[in-house]
Amino acid sequence: MTTPRDRRDAPSSSSTLWLMLLVVAVGLYFFGLGGQYVPTNGDELVYAHIARVTSATGNWLPLASELDNMRNTKPPLLFWQAMVATDWGRHWQLSALRLPSVIYTLLITVAIAGTVRRISQDASHGWIAACVYLAFFCTFRYGRPYLTSAPETFWLDLPMFALLWYLLPKHRATGAESNGTASTRIAGVVHTQSAFSPYVVFSIGTGLAFGLGATYKSFALIAPAAAALWCAILLGAPALNWRLLLRTTLCVGLSTVVGLGIFALWFLLDPDPAAVWREFVIGENAGKMMDKQGYWHEALHGGSSSLWAMLLAYVENAGLLAFVVLGLAGVGLSAFIQQFRQRSTLKPLPRHVWVLLAWLGVWLMVFSLPSQRSARYVIPAMPALAMLIALYWQQIARGWFLASMLLVGVATLALGRIGWVMHDLQIASLTAWMSALAVVLTTGAVTLAGALKPTWTRACTVAGCLLVFAGFGLTVAPLDGASGRYDSAANAGLSNARIAVPSNFNAQYERFQFLLPGNHFVPFDFDVMGTGPAALEKLQALLKRHDAVVWVQTDPAVRTAPCLPNCNILASRWVVKERHKSGEITLANLWLPHTWLFSREWLLTR
């Protein structure tokens, strides 16, 4: 990569407009926070279940669960956060569970904006970096729900932000400035002879951050965090020598030991440390290094878990900004080719760019090693990607933004069609549908404006991504109202009842704790549901053993309740089918979401 352009080449959009867009983006992260259909994955309800059951015990440890082999799935800090946020389960609401994640995400956003502004000496670049980070789909998906990505990202990335702020220059400096302020600071803190030097203090503080991040998810995350910091310090130094290498290794090693020591407190505080070792260390961590089909088979032919898929992890995490990430890679490749051809005409890379590249490269490399690979494992490196995009904003070709705008247009069209169908099915009222339609039309107008006016293309691409998030929130909002929840009469009619509920994924039945609180839920597999003879026979058996049954009408052509002589319909609601079988969605029915996306759920009693 070449050196980012200086201040006179700053983006044409004013700092005020970018700040206004950032305010809108922050508001989107709070909008619909307690909704049933915020982008997430099924593990959120597993964590919520463990937090709720542990809260009911009145003890911090051991963690408790009603699920087999689903107790010590994550370290305790994640569950303690939920217990405190919900006042030990007294205010058991999804919004309360998710609020800490949003706070962590916004703290990361502040750090990104501040760091880029410090590097570029331009507020616009800082706001751009913040908006880009919030426009990443992985941030929207994992930075709001009750998952571990936001807390772990904050704590594990904190030392990298500190390095950029205090060990690198305040302005854009190149590798040629070996005698500058930055060089003096880096060399001074590394080579100082004091046992309590600022660098040692920094290392201990880094260890505390590593420990807190690990206690949210896993001790294994200390490896990529420490390796990235080690590489970043060495690459950011004025010159490499054995003394610098040794001292950096010792200090990062100290941070690693402190971090592991903090994580090890779980074993000391838990009344059953053997279960922690068996369920978490062996089951959750060591198991990811093994595969039944063989390591290399999975690495080369594992589909979404292969090494080839992992190489596109950052592109996948960017979501609608995927092509912008590819454009950034194109800038780097072009600079490399130019450097190879004309070595004497290019300036060395700025030190902060080396730090950001080390941040991205190490996380990707480390999480390419286990047999179980996923793009979400490199989410802690996404802040570095957002900062690089902002710093090389003008150098990324406009065509890459236009390609991302095409993705925005496709997503907007899909949301518009789903909103239309929801209104047609009377899930959404006219007012709700018009609100969603207004955002969809606004997104289309912004996309068109960015395509027609070159100076607006980059800003409109980011704005379009954020507007898609807004359109999604407004589209699913009716499902968190009367159409998608049981009414007060249903809640009043059931109290401390045993209710059979459908569940085909880990702890999916936990969602009914938010829909029908104060009852006991017994999960059953709903492969056989609907109105056929086998389904009605199964429903009959469930009604005999339980006070009530939640039954989903799986046949999209049938919208009526199942008919049994001794069955009473207490309530019904619309639900979104989140897990589809192969062949359910095809090109022939893609434009007909009412045939595969929505189902009717019935609450039946004897």
mmCIF file with all atom_site columns, all heavy atoms in Angstrom, residues 25 28 43 76 99 110 143 150 179 222 229 259 308 316 341 411-412 437 472 474 525 567 570:
data_model
loop_
_atom_site.group_PDB
_atom_site.id
_atom_site.type_symbol
_atom_site.label_atom_id
_atom_site.label_alt_id
_atom_site.label_comp_id
_atom_site.label_asym_id
_atom_site.label_entity_id
_atom_site.label_seq_id
_atom_site.pdbx_PDB_ins_code
_atom_site.Cartn_x
_atom_site.Cartn_y
_atom_site.Cartn_z
_atom_site.occupancy
_atom_site.B_iso_or_equiv
_atom_site.pdbx_formal_charge
_atom_site.auth_seq_id
_atom_site.auth_comp_id
_atom_site.auth_asym_id
_atom_site.auth_atom_id
_atom_site.pdbx_PDB_model_num
ATOM 1   N N   . ALA A 1 25  ? -26.452 6.020   12.682  1.00 0.00 ? 25  ALA A N   1
ATOM 2   C CA  . ALA A 1 25  ? -25.993 4.637   12.832  1.00 0.00 ? 25  ALA A CA  1
ATOM 3   C C   . ALA A 1 25  ? -26.079 4.181   14.284  1.00 0.00 ? 25  ALA A C   1
ATOM 4   O O   . ALA A 1 25  ? -26.513 3.051   14.565  1.00 0.00 ? 25  ALA A O   1
ATOM 5   C CB  . ALA A 1 25  ? -24.553 4.522   12.323  1.00 0.00 ? 25  ALA A CB  1
ATOM 6   N N   . LEU A 1 28  ? -29.571 3.324   15.180  1.00 0.00 ? 28  LEU A N   1
ATOM 7   C CA  . LEU A 1 28  ? -30.017 2.044   14.620  1.00 0.00 ? 28  LEU A CA  1
ATOM 8   C C   . LEU A 1 28  ? -29.639 0.885   15.518  1.00 0.00 ? 28  LEU A C   1
ATOM 9   O O   . LEU A 1 28  ? -30.345 -0.128  15.563  1.00 0.00 ? 28  LEU A O   1
ATOM 10  C CB  . LEU A 1 28  ? -29.400 1.838   13.233  1.00 0.00 ? 28  LEU A CB  1
ATOM 11  C CG  . LEU A 1 28  ? -29.925 2.728   12.109  1.00 0.00 ? 28  LEU A CG  1
ATOM 12  C CD1 . LEU A 1 28  ? -29.153 2.471   10.826  1.00 0.00 ? 28  LEU A CD1 1
ATOM 13  C CD2 . LEU A 1 28  ? -31.408 2.455   11.882  1.00 0.00 ? 28  LEU A CD2 1
ATOM 14  N N   . ASP A 1 43  ? -27.086 -19.471 19.106  1.00 0.00 ? 43  ASP A N   1
ATOM 15  C CA  . ASP A 1 43  ? -26.384 -19.621 20.377  1.00 0.00 ? 43  ASP A CA  1
ATOM 16  C C   . ASP A 1 43  ? -26.762 -18.557 21.397  1.00 0.00 ? 43  ASP A C   1
ATOM 17  O O   . ASP A 1 43  ? -26.514 -18.737 22.591  1.00 0.00 ? 43  ASP A O   1
ATOM 18  C CB  . ASP A 1 43  ? -24.872 -19.576 20.145  1.00 0.00 ? 43  ASP A CB  1
ATOM 19  C CG  . ASP A 1 43  ? -24.366 -20.834 19.451  1.00 0.00 ? 43  ASP A CG  1
ATOM 20  O OD1 . ASP A 1 43  ? -25.100 -21.835 19.467  1.00 0.00 ? 43  ASP A OD1 1
ATOM 21  O OD2 . ASP A 1 43  ? -23.256 -20.802 18.901  1.00 0.00 ? 43  ASP A OD2 1
ATOM 22  N N   . PRO A 1 76  ? -17.445 -17.461 32.933  1.00 0.00 ? 76  PRO A N   1
ATOM 23  C CA  . PRO A 1 76  ? -18.540 -16.886 33.732  1.00 0.00 ? 76  PRO A CA  1
ATOM 24  C C   . PRO A 1 76  ? -18.807 -15.406 33.530  1.00 0.00 ? 76  PRO A C   1
ATOM 25  O O   . PRO A 1 76  ? -19.911 -14.942 33.804  1.00 0.00 ? 76  PRO A O   1
ATOM 26  C CB  . PRO A 1 76  ? -18.102 -17.162 35.179  1.00 0.00 ? 76  PRO A CB  1
ATOM 27  C CG  . PRO A 1 76  ? -16.618 -17.323 35.110  1.00 0.00 ? 76  PRO A CG  1
ATOM 28  C CD  . PRO A 1 76  ? -16.342 -17.945 33.779  1.00 0.00 ? 76  PRO A CD  1
ATOM 29  N N   . LEU A 1 99  ? -28.189 -4.869  25.964  1.00 0.00 ? 99  LEU A N   1
ATOM 30  C CA  . LEU A 1 99  ? -27.689 -3.503  26.136  1.00 0.00 ? 99  LEU A CA  1
ATOM 31  C C   . LEU A 1 99  ? -26.185 -3.447  26.395  1.00 0.00 ? 99  LEU A C   1
ATOM 32  O O   . LEU A 1 99  ? -25.487 -2.604  25.795  1.00 0.00 ? 99  LEU A O   1
ATOM 33  C CB  . LEU A 1 99  ? -28.457 -2.804  27.256  1.00 0.00 ? 99  LEU A CB  1
ATOM 34  C CG  . LEU A 1 99  ? -28.067 -1.348  27.524  1.00 0.00 ? 99  LEU A CG  1
ATOM 35  C CD1 . LEU A 1 99  ? -28.286 -0.498  26.276  1.00 0.00 ? 99  LEU A CD1 1
ATOM 36  C CD2 . LEU A 1 99  ? -28.857 -0.787  28.700  1.00 0.00 ? 99  LEU A CD2 1
ATOM 37  N N   . VAL A 1 110 ? -15.932 4.438   19.293  1.00 0.00 ? 110 VAL A N   1
ATOM 38  C CA  . VAL A 1 110 ? -15.260 5.653   19.762  1.00 0.00 ? 110 VAL A CA  1
ATOM 39  C C   . VAL A 1 110 ? -13.741 5.516   19.609  1.00 0.00 ? 110 VAL A C   1
ATOM 40  O O   . VAL A 1 110 ? -13.048 6.448   19.164  1.00 0.00 ? 110 VAL A O   1
ATOM 41  C CB  . VAL A 1 110 ? -15.639 5.946   21.229  1.00 0.00 ? 110 VAL A CB  1
ATOM 42  C CG1 . VAL A 1 110 ? -14.759 7.046   21.811  1.00 0.00 ? 110 VAL A CG1 1
ATOM 43  C CG2 . VAL A 1 110 ? -17.106 6.342   21.325  1.00 0.00 ? 110 VAL A CG2 1
ATOM 44  N N   . GLY A 1 143 ? -22.630 -7.499  17.212  1.00 0.00 ? 143 GLY A N   1
ATOM 45  C CA  . GLY A 1 143 ? -22.323 -6.401  18.119  1.00 0.00 ? 143 GLY A CA  1
ATOM 46  C C   . GLY A 1 143 ? -23.516 -5.914  18.910  1.00 0.00 ? 143 GLY A C   1
ATOM 47  O O   . GLY A 1 143 ? -23.390 -4.984  19.712  1.00 0.00 ? 143 GLY A O   1
ATOM 48  N N   . ALA A 1 150 ? -18.825 -8.529  21.034  1.00 0.00 ? 150 ALA A N   1
ATOM 49  C CA  . ALA A 1 150 ? -18.540 -7.130  21.377  1.00 0.00 ? 150 ALA A CA  1
ATOM 50  C C   . ALA A 1 150 ? -17.645 -6.999  22.616  1.00 0.00 ? 150 ALA A C   1
ATOM 51  O O   . ALA A 1 150 ? -16.647 -6.270  22.582  1.00 0.00 ? 150 ALA A O   1
ATOM 52  C CB  . ALA A 1 150 ? -19.851 -6.368  21.566  1.00 0.00 ? 150 ALA A CB  1
ATOM 53  N N   . ASN A 1 179 ? 14.611  8.599   13.177  1.00 0.00 ? 179 ASN A N   1
ATOM 54  C CA  . ASN A 1 179 ? 15.092  9.435   14.273  1.00 0.00 ? 179 ASN A CA  1
ATOM 55  C C   . ASN A 1 179 ? 14.017  10.363  14.808  1.00 0.00 ? 179 ASN A C   1
ATOM 56  O O   . ASN A 1 179 ? 14.294  11.279  15.561  1.00 0.00 ? 179 ASN A O   1
ATOM 57  C CB  . ASN A 1 179 ? 16.283  10.273  13.797  1.00 0.00 ? 179 ASN A CB  1
ATOM 58  C CG  . ASN A 1 179 ? 17.460  9.400   13.409  1.00 0.00 ? 179 ASN A CG  1
ATOM 59  O OD1 . ASN A 1 179 ? 17.727  8.408   14.063  1.00 0.00 ? 179 ASN A OD1 1
ATOM 60  N ND2 . ASN A 1 179 ? 18.157  9.766   12.323  1.00 0.00 ? 179 ASN A ND2 1
ATOM 61  N N   . ILE A 1 222 ? -6.231  -15.435 23.776  1.00 0.00 ? 222 ILE A N   1
ATOM 62  C CA  . ILE A 1 222 ? -5.024  -14.714 24.166  1.00 0.00 ? 222 ILE A CA  1
ATOM 63  C C   . ILE A 1 222 ? -3.921  -14.947 23.136  1.00 0.00 ? 222 ILE A C   1
ATOM 64  O O   . ILE A 1 222 ? -3.081  -14.062 22.901  1.00 0.00 ? 222 ILE A O   1
ATOM 65  C CB  . ILE A 1 222 ? -4.572  -15.150 25.570  1.00 0.00 ? 222 ILE A CB  1
ATOM 66  C CG1 . ILE A 1 222 ? -5.628  -14.736 26.606  1.00 0.00 ? 222 ILE A CG1 1
ATOM 67  C CG2 . ILE A 1 222 ? -3.229  -14.533 25.936  1.00 0.00 ? 222 ILE A CG2 1
ATOM 68  C CD1 . ILE A 1 222 ? -5.299  -15.147 28.020  1.00 0.00 ? 222 ILE A CD1 1
ATOM 69  N N   . LEU A 1 229 ? -0.086  -8.350  18.912  1.00 0.00 ? 229 LEU A N   1
ATOM 70  C CA  . LEU A 1 229 ? 0.600   -7.259  19.602  1.00 0.00 ? 229 LEU A CA  1
ATOM 71  C C   . LEU A 1 229 ? 2.109   -7.371  19.432  1.00 0.00 ? 229 LEU A C   1
ATOM 72  O O   . LEU A 1 229 ? 2.797   -6.373  19.186  1.00 0.00 ? 229 LEU A O   1
ATOM 73  C CB  . LEU A 1 229 ? 0.216   -7.283  21.083  1.00 0.00 ? 229 LEU A CB  1
ATOM 74  C CG  . LEU A 1 229 ? 0.810   -6.176  21.946  1.00 0.00 ? 229 LEU A CG  1
ATOM 75  C CD1 . LEU A 1 229 ? 0.294   -4.819  21.503  1.00 0.00 ? 229 LEU A CD1 1
ATOM 76  C CD2 . LEU A 1 229 ? 0.491   -6.414  23.422  1.00 0.00 ? 229 LEU A CD2 1
ATOM 77  N N   . GLY A 1 259 ? -2.746  -12.599 31.685  1.00 0.00 ? 259 GLY A N   1
ATOM 78  C CA  . GLY A 1 259 ? -4.062  -12.910 31.132  1.00 0.00 ? 259 GLY A CA  1
ATOM 79  C C   . GLY A 1 259 ? -4.519  -14.313 31.469  1.00 0.00 ? 259 GLY A C   1
ATOM 80  O O   . GLY A 1 259 ? -5.669  -14.529 31.874  1.00 0.00 ? 259 GLY A O   1
ATOM 81  N N   . TRP A 1 308 ? -9.814  -22.191 2.184   1.00 0.00 ? 308 TRP A N   1
ATOM 82  C CA  . TRP A 1 308 ? -10.137 -21.288 1.092   1.00 0.00 ? 308 TRP A CA  1
ATOM 83  C C   . TRP A 1 308 ? -11.270 -20.333 1.490   1.00 0.00 ? 308 TRP A C   1
ATOM 84  O O   . TRP A 1 308 ? -11.242 -19.156 1.152   1.00 0.00 ? 308 TRP A O   1
ATOM 85  C CB  . TRP A 1 308 ? -10.527 -22.080 -0.146  1.00 0.00 ? 308 TRP A CB  1
ATOM 86  C CG  . TRP A 1 308 ? -9.694  -23.308 -0.345  1.00 0.00 ? 308 TRP A CG  1
ATOM 87  C CD1 . TRP A 1 308 ? -10.117 -24.599 -0.362  1.00 0.00 ? 308 TRP A CD1 1
ATOM 88  C CD2 . TRP A 1 308 ? -8.265  -23.360 -0.521  1.00 0.00 ? 308 TRP A CD2 1
ATOM 89  N NE1 . TRP A 1 308 ? -9.061  -25.464 -0.549  1.00 0.00 ? 308 TRP A NE1 1
ATOM 90  C CE2 . TRP A 1 308 ? -7.907  -24.724 -0.653  1.00 0.00 ? 308 TRP A CE2 1
ATOM 91  C CE3 . TRP A 1 308 ? -7.264  -22.390 -0.592  1.00 0.00 ? 308 TRP A CE3 1
ATOM 92  C CZ2 . TRP A 1 308 ? -6.590  -25.137 -0.846  1.00 0.00 ? 308 TRP A CZ2 1
ATOM 93  C CZ3 . TRP A 1 308 ? -5.952  -22.794 -0.778  1.00 0.00 ? 308 TRP A CZ3 1
ATOM 94  C CH2 . TRP A 1 308 ? -5.626  -24.144 -0.901  1.00 0.00 ? 308 TRP A CH2 1
ATOM 95  N N   . GLU A 1 316 ? -16.476 -11.655 3.923   1.00 0.00 ? 316 GLU A N   1
ATOM 96  C CA  . GLU A 1 316 ? -17.771 -12.142 4.394   1.00 0.00 ? 316 GLU A CA  1
ATOM 97  C C   . GLU A 1 316 ? -18.293 -11.300 5.551   1.00 0.00 ? 316 GLU A C   1
ATOM 98  O O   . GLU A 1 316 ? -19.476 -10.946 5.599   1.00 0.00 ? 316 GLU A O   1
ATOM 99  C CB  . GLU A 1 316 ? -17.645 -13.598 4.823   1.00 0.00 ? 316 GLU A CB  1
ATOM 100 C CG  . GLU A 1 316 ? -18.924 -14.209 5.366   1.00 0.00 ? 316 GLU A CG  1
ATOM 101 C CD  . GLU A 1 316 ? -18.743 -15.634 5.840   1.00 0.00 ? 316 GLU A CD  1
ATOM 102 O OE1 . GLU A 1 316 ? -17.773 -16.287 5.404   1.00 0.00 ? 316 GLU A OE1 1
ATOM 103 O OE2 . GLU A 1 316 ? -19.563 -16.107 6.654   1.00 0.00 ? 316 GLU A OE2 1
ATOM 104 N N   . ARG A 1 341 ? 8.304   -2.966  -9.062  1.00 0.00 ? 341 ARG A N   1
ATOM 105 C CA  . ARG A 1 341 ? 8.817   -2.423  -10.312 1.00 0.00 ? 341 ARG A CA  1
ATOM 106 C C   . ARG A 1 341 ? 9.667   -1.179  -10.109 1.00 0.00 ? 341 ARG A C   1
ATOM 107 O O   . ARG A 1 341 ? 10.642  -0.959  -10.801 1.00 0.00 ? 341 ARG A O   1
ATOM 108 C CB  . ARG A 1 341 ? 7.653   -2.095  -11.252 1.00 0.00 ? 341 ARG A CB  1
ATOM 109 C CG  . ARG A 1 341 ? 6.918   -3.330  -11.765 1.00 0.00 ? 341 ARG A CG  1
ATOM 110 C CD  . ARG A 1 341 ? 5.736   -2.908  -12.627 1.00 0.00 ? 341 ARG A CD  1
ATOM 111 N NE  . ARG A 1 341 ? 5.065   -4.063  -13.224 1.00 0.00 ? 341 ARG A NE  1
ATOM 112 C CZ  . ARG A 1 341 ? 3.958   -3.985  -13.959 1.00 0.00 ? 341 ARG A CZ  1
ATOM 113 N NH1 . ARG A 1 341 ? 3.417   -2.782  -14.202 1.00 0.00 ? 341 ARG A NH1 1
ATOM 114 N NH2 . ARG A 1 341 ? 3.411   -5.070  -14.449 1.00 0.00 ? 341 ARG A NH2 1
ATOM 115 N N   . ALA A 1 411 ? -30.590 -6.000  -1.683  1.00 0.00 ? 411 ALA A N   1
ATOM 116 C CA  . ALA A 1 411 ? -31.133 -6.159  -0.331  1.00 0.00 ? 411 ALA A CA  1
ATOM 117 C C   . ALA A 1 411 ? -32.370 -5.288  -0.137  1.00 0.00 ? 411 ALA A C   1
ATOM 118 O O   . ALA A 1 411 ? -33.346 -5.703  0.501   1.00 0.00 ? 411 ALA A O   1
ATOM 119 C CB  . ALA A 1 411 ? -30.066 -5.803  0.702   1.00 0.00 ? 411 ALA A CB  1
ATOM 120 N N   . THR A 1 412 ? -32.330 -4.085  -0.682  1.00 0.00 ? 412 THR A N   1
ATOM 121 C CA  . THR A 1 412 ? -33.478 -3.181  -0.568  1.00 0.00 ? 412 THR A CA  1
ATOM 122 C C   . THR A 1 412 ? -34.698 -3.749  -1.283  1.00 0.00 ? 412 THR A C   1
ATOM 123 O O   . THR A 1 412 ? -35.825 -3.696  -0.773  1.00 0.00 ? 412 THR A O   1
ATOM 124 C CB  . THR A 1 412 ? -33.119 -1.806  -1.159  1.00 0.00 ? 412 THR A CB  1
ATOM 125 O OG1 . THR A 1 412 ? -31.989 -1.275  -0.476  1.00 0.00 ? 412 THR A OG1 1
ATOM 126 C CG2 . THR A 1 412 ? -34.278 -0.840  -1.021  1.00 0.00 ? 412 THR A CG2 1
ATOM 127 N N   . LEU A 1 437 ? -41.761 1.018   3.893   1.00 0.00 ? 437 LEU A N   1
ATOM 128 C CA  . LEU A 1 437 ? -41.654 1.371   2.487   1.00 0.00 ? 437 LEU A CA  1
ATOM 129 C C   . LEU A 1 437 ? -40.932 2.691   2.294   1.00 0.00 ? 437 LEU A C   1
ATOM 130 O O   . LEU A 1 437 ? -40.152 2.864   1.344   1.00 0.00 ? 437 LEU A O   1
ATOM 131 C CB  . LEU A 1 437 ? -43.049 1.433   1.863   1.00 0.00 ? 437 LEU A CB  1
ATOM 132 C CG  . LEU A 1 437 ? -43.109 1.738   0.358   1.00 0.00 ? 437 LEU A CG  1
ATOM 133 C CD1 . LEU A 1 437 ? -42.390 0.651   -0.429  1.00 0.00 ? 437 LEU A CD1 1
ATOM 134 C CD2 . LEU A 1 437 ? -44.556 1.883   -0.098  1.00 0.00 ? 437 LEU A CD2 1
ATOM 135 N N   . PHE A 1 472 ? -34.614 -3.178  7.525   1.00 0.00 ? 472 PHE A N   1
ATOM 136 C CA  . PHE A 1 472 ? -34.831 -4.497  8.126   1.00 0.00 ? 472 PHE A CA  1
ATOM 137 C C   . PHE A 1 472 ? -35.548 -4.357  9.469   1.00 0.00 ? 472 PHE A C   1
ATOM 138 O O   . PHE A 1 472 ? -36.497 -5.089  9.764   1.00 0.00 ? 472 PHE A O   1
ATOM 139 C CB  . PHE A 1 472 ? -33.495 -5.206  8.311   1.00 0.00 ? 472 PHE A CB  1
ATOM 140 C CG  . PHE A 1 472 ? -33.618 -6.542  8.998   1.00 0.00 ? 472 PHE A CG  1
ATOM 141 C CD1 . PHE A 1 472 ? -33.886 -7.680  8.267   1.00 0.00 ? 472 PHE A CD1 1
ATOM 142 C CD2 . PHE A 1 472 ? -33.486 -6.653  10.379  1.00 0.00 ? 472 PHE A CD2 1
ATOM 143 C CE1 . PHE A 1 472 ? -34.012 -8.916  8.896   1.00 0.00 ? 472 PHE A CE1 1
ATOM 144 C CE2 . PHE A 1 472 ? -33.610 -7.873  11.018  1.00 0.00 ? 472 PHE A CE2 1
ATOM 145 C CZ  . PHE A 1 472 ? -33.876 -9.007  10.272  1.00 0.00 ? 472 PHE A CZ  1
ATOM 146 N N   . LEU A 1 474 ? -37.504 -1.953  10.561  1.00 0.00 ? 474 LEU A N   1
ATOM 147 C CA  . LEU A 1 474 ? -38.900 -1.552  10.397  1.00 0.00 ? 474 LEU A CA  1
ATOM 148 C C   . LEU A 1 474 ? -39.746 -2.671  9.779   1.00 0.00 ? 474 LEU A C   1
ATOM 149 O O   . LEU A 1 474 ? -40.931 -2.797  10.083  1.00 0.00 ? 474 LEU A O   1
ATOM 150 C CB  . LEU A 1 474 ? -38.979 -0.301  9.517   1.00 0.00 ? 474 LEU A CB  1
ATOM 151 C CG  . LEU A 1 474 ? -38.564 1.007   10.191  1.00 0.00 ? 474 LEU A CG  1
ATOM 152 C CD1 . LEU A 1 474 ? -38.488 2.139   9.172   1.00 0.00 ? 474 LEU A CD1 1
ATOM 153 C CD2 . LEU A 1 474 ? -39.543 1.377   11.307  1.00 0.00 ? 474 LEU A CD2 1
ATOM 154 N N   . ASP A 1 525 ? -39.283 -32.079 19.334  1.00 0.00 ? 525 ASP A N   1
ATOM 155 C CA  . ASP A 1 525 ? -38.845 -31.899 17.964  1.00 0.00 ? 525 ASP A CA  1
ATOM 156 C C   . ASP A 1 525 ? -40.071 -31.781 17.062  1.00 0.00 ? 525 ASP A C   1
ATOM 157 O O   . ASP A 1 525 ? -41.008 -32.567 17.173  1.00 0.00 ? 525 ASP A O   1
ATOM 158 C CB  . ASP A 1 525 ? -37.995 -33.090 17.530  1.00 0.00 ? 525 ASP A CB  1
ATOM 159 C CG  . ASP A 1 525 ? -37.420 -32.885 16.140  1.00 0.00 ? 525 ASP A CG  1
ATOM 160 O OD1 . ASP A 1 525 ? -36.933 -31.783 15.866  1.00 0.00 ? 525 ASP A OD1 1
ATOM 161 O OD2 . ASP A 1 525 ? -37.491 -33.832 15.340  1.00 0.00 ? 525 ASP A OD2 1
ATOM 162 N N   . CYS A 1 567 ? -59.638 -29.951 21.835  1.00 0.00 ? 567 CYS A N   1
ATOM 163 C CA  . CYS A 1 567 ? -58.597 -28.929 21.726  1.00 0.00 ? 567 CYS A CA  1
ATOM 164 C C   . CYS A 1 567 ? -59.225 -27.545 21.754  1.00 0.00 ? 567 CYS A C   1
ATOM 165 O O   . CYS A 1 567 ? -60.227 -27.286 21.076  1.00 0.00 ? 567 CYS A O   1
ATOM 166 C CB  . CYS A 1 567 ? -57.816 -29.156 20.431  1.00 0.00 ? 567 CYS A CB  1
ATOM 167 S SG  . CYS A 1 567 ? -56.617 -27.879 20.065  1.00 0.00 ? 567 CYS A SG  1
ATOM 168 N N   . LEU A 1 570 ? -56.229 -21.112 22.364  1.00 0.00 ? 570 LEU A N   1
ATOM 169 C CA  . LEU A 1 570 ? -56.094 -20.008 23.308  1.00 0.00 ? 570 LEU A CA  1
ATOM 170 C C   . LEU A 1 570 ? -55.592 -18.738 22.619  1.00 0.00 ? 570 LEU A C   1
ATOM 171 O O   . LEU A 1 570 ? -56.042 -17.642 22.928  1.00 0.00 ? 570 LEU A O   1
ATOM 172 C CB  . LEU A 1 570 ? -55.145 -20.399 24.451  1.00 0.00 ? 570 LEU A CB  1
ATOM 173 C CG  . LEU A 1 570 ? -55.047 -19.432 25.623  1.00 0.00 ? 570 LEU A CG  1
ATOM 174 C CD1 . LEU A 1 570 ? -56.406 -19.241 26.283  1.00 0.00 ? 570 LEU A CD1 1
ATOM 175 C CD2 . LEU A 1 570 ? -54.029 -19.939 26.650  1.00 0.00 ? 570 LEU A CD2 1
#
